[in-house]
Amino acid sequence: MATILITGADVWDGLADRARPRQVLVVDGRIQRVADTIEAPAGAESIDLSGHTLTPGFIDCHTHIAVIPPVSAALAGDSSTAKALKALPVLRALLRNGFTTIRDLGCGDLDYPTIDLRDAVAAGLVEGPRILVAPHMISARGGHGDFSGFLAGQYQGPSRPLELAAADGCDEIRTRVRQEIRAGADWIKFAATGGFASPSDDPGRATYSQEEMDALVATAADLGVPATPHSYGDEGIQRAVRAGVRSIEHGNLASAETLRMMEDADVFLVPTQYAILSGARRTPEDPLWAAAPDYVRRKVDKYRAGLLDAADRLAASEVRIAFGTDAGMFPHHENWREFGMMVSTGITPLRALQAATSTAADLLQLPDVGVIAEGKLADLIAMPGDPFTDIEVTGRVDFVMKAGVVYERPGTAV
């Protein structure tokens, strides 16, 4: 591995309230030293990042790399191989955006292509972020993960391919959890409520009972795997927190009481605000809004005020926010826009940046990444300007290093 000395940048370590001029020495893929000045070792490559802010590599805790928007029943038309092949440029785009680690939360396929993609990246066969995977979203039939709702009634029913990871009742749920873990799951994801992008459920309604969620989370915990639910409304979130989940995905209708419950239980929230609030903020005259399916517009109209109010409550809360985008529900290369959306709702730039670095690493239990400190993996990115005063520079990352390997440097972006 190369020895690289990075100079000229203001360095933010993933924790402090500001960046300051520092130099960073990387040796054999790890950060060996961080100091005001470092003498370059013999044979070291020097990279001058003057005018840049150097940060830990970003972490996106909620992606769908094998889902290409727009999402519909057509998702079932591609083979597992086709989904994996289409994910290759997605992985490259996410890495070039500065995301050196991602968690993928469902592939929309009967097979396990995201497991194979994870392993291919780890083996160096494919270029992309390191990946943690929940292969499928376990769902009640008729819930958010039962894609057969996209089909006409005569094509729905037991064992239809679009049911994917459908499971009802504690016994079937336990079996499904064990199948996911047997296949190599790092996380278990389940649908605790309905959603906006599915036709036949309600985002505010819980779709699993307390007993079913308890069985699901306990089964995963017995095998050492954390669980996280897709959940918008209070009842689904509260049941999931009582069951012992590590994070909540979305949570965009959470009341102040529910947020306090999450704080007390130290449960993380991955709010994916860009994906949902972009729609909530659109007017009926917006051409993008007019092109949305009827059921999406109907649900967003029903919950619009609640979505906007909940975003204000989240900013005022002390819930541990981890960065996640739901990329795949919209074009993956736009995932950096989550930063701007978070700040627009009152979340401070510091909290948003920590959400994508040190807090995300805590959620994912990855102590080697998320901060710039001696001995940590050299996941380092840089952007021209200061994200603390202009959060939009997070969309102009032009230096990317993952585990000491440089994938992007100023002047070479394509």
Side-chain angles (χ1 to χ4, degrees):
M1 296 285 287
T3 298
I4 299 173
L5 177 63
I6 299 171
T7 63
D10 288 335
V11 176
W12 178 64
D13 66 1
L15 299 166
D17 60 3
R18 63 183 178 89
R20 63 191 185 95
R22 301 279 272 172
Q23 297 183 356
V24 179
L25 180 65
V26 174
V27 178
D28 293 336
R30 291 191 174 267
I31 300 168
Q32 186 177 87
R33 192 175 176 209
V34 182
D36 291 339
T37 58
I38 300 172
E39 183 176 349
E45 177 187 1
S46 290
I47 298 177
D48 183 357
L49 293 177
S50 295
H52 286 67
T53 300
L54 186 78
T55 77
F58 292 150
I59 301 170
D60 190 334
C61 296
H62 192 129
T63 67
H64 300 282
I65 55 174
V67 176
I68 306 299
V71 179
S72 70
L75 185 68
D78 283 340
S79 67
S80 300
T81 302
K83 290 187 179 76
L85 290 172
K86 289 180 179 180
L88 299 182
V90 166
L91 290 173
R92 186 176 184 276
L94 291 174
L95 184 61
R96 292 303 195 274
N97 273 8
F99 289 84
T100 53
T101 302
I102 62 173
R103 180 178 60 164
D104 195 83
L105 293 179
C107 65
D109 191 89
L110 290 170
D111 210 339
Y112 296 84
T114 50
I115 292 284
D116 294 329
L117 287 164
R118 177 198 67 190
D119 295 346
V121 170
L125 302 175
V126 170
E127 180 181 300
R130 69 180 56 81
I131 309 171
L132 299 177
V133 174
H136 305 98
M137 176 164 60
I138 300 172
S139 171
R141 289 179 177 83
H144 183 59
D146 181 359
F147 286 5
S148 64
F150 285 108
L151 302 179
Q154 64 266 34
Y155 297 110
Q156 299 180 26
S159 304
R160 297 298 183 189
L162 285 183
E163 286 187 342
L164 297 180
D168 293 322
C170 293
D171 288 343
E172 192 175 17
I173 287 168
R174 290 188 188 98
T175 296
R176 185 70 232 193
V177 169
R178 291 165 180 156
Q179 288 172 340
E180 294 286 287
I181 295 173
R182 179 182 64 189
D186 302 299
W187 281 75
I188 292 297
K189 184 189 179 185
F190 64 98
T193 71
F196 288 92
S198 47
S200 56
D201 49 49
D202 188 310
R205 299 285 184 177
T207 51
Y208 272 141
S209 69
Q210 187 68 64
E211 181 185 18
E212 288 172 316
M213 289 194 205
D214 289 348
L216 188 154
V217 177
T219 301
D222 283 346
L223 296 173
V225 176
T228 189
H230 159 107
S231 189
Y232 284 103
D234 275 344
E235 186 60 36
I237 297 172
Q238 291 182 12
R239 290 180 190 178
V241 171
R242 286 192 289 267
V245 298
R246 185 162 177 80
S247 65
I248 297 290
E249 308 305 308
H250 313 304
N252 303 105
L253 294 170
S255 66
E257 176 190 0
T258 295
L259 291 173
R260 284 193 296 271
M261 182 181 182
M262 292 179 62
E263 291 173 15
D264 292 343
D266 198 26
V267 172
F268 295 78
L269 179 61
V270 183
T272 64
Q273 290 186 328
Y274 178 71
I276 188 63
L277 294 184
S278 295
R281 289 178 174 180
R282 289 193 178 111
T283 65
E285 296 76 25
D286 188 317
L288 288 175
W289 187 235
D294 288 343
Y295 58 83
V296 172
R297 296 200 305 272
R298 185 171 60 253
K299 292 181 187 183
V300 173
D301 285 344
K302 176 181 178 179
Y303 286 109
R304 187 185 310 277
L307 292 168
L308 298 175
D309 289 346
D312 292 338
R313 286 194 294 272
L314 175 59
S317 77
E318 295 183 5
V319 169
R320 299 186 73 188
I321 299 173
F323 186 99
T325 64
D326 220 2
M329 301 301 104
F330 60 89
H332 300 83
H333 66 272
E334 296 182 5
N335 77 322
W336 66 272
R337 295 185 183 277
E338 180 74 11
F339 285 109
M341 183 62 79
M342 293 172 76
V343 171
S344 78
T345 66
I347 295 169
T348 66
L350 173 61
R351 194 178 182 190
L353 290 164
Q354 288 175 333
T357 53
S358 54
T359 305
D362 285 347
L363 164 60
L364 302 183
Q365 300 175 300
L366 297 175
D368 247 4
V369 300
V371 295
I372 296 177
E374 294 175 1
K376 302 294 187 182
L377 274 177
D379 279 14
L380 304 170
I381 65 170
M383 60 214 77
D386 180 2
F388 290 93
T389 58
D390 178 11
I391 196 66
E392 295 299 307
V393 302
T394 54
R396 299 197 291 274
V397 169
D398 60 2
F399 175 80
V400 178
M401 172 187 284
K402 183 186 123 186
V405 177
V406 177
Y407 292 89
E408 193 84 34
R409 61 182 74 211
T412 64
V414 292

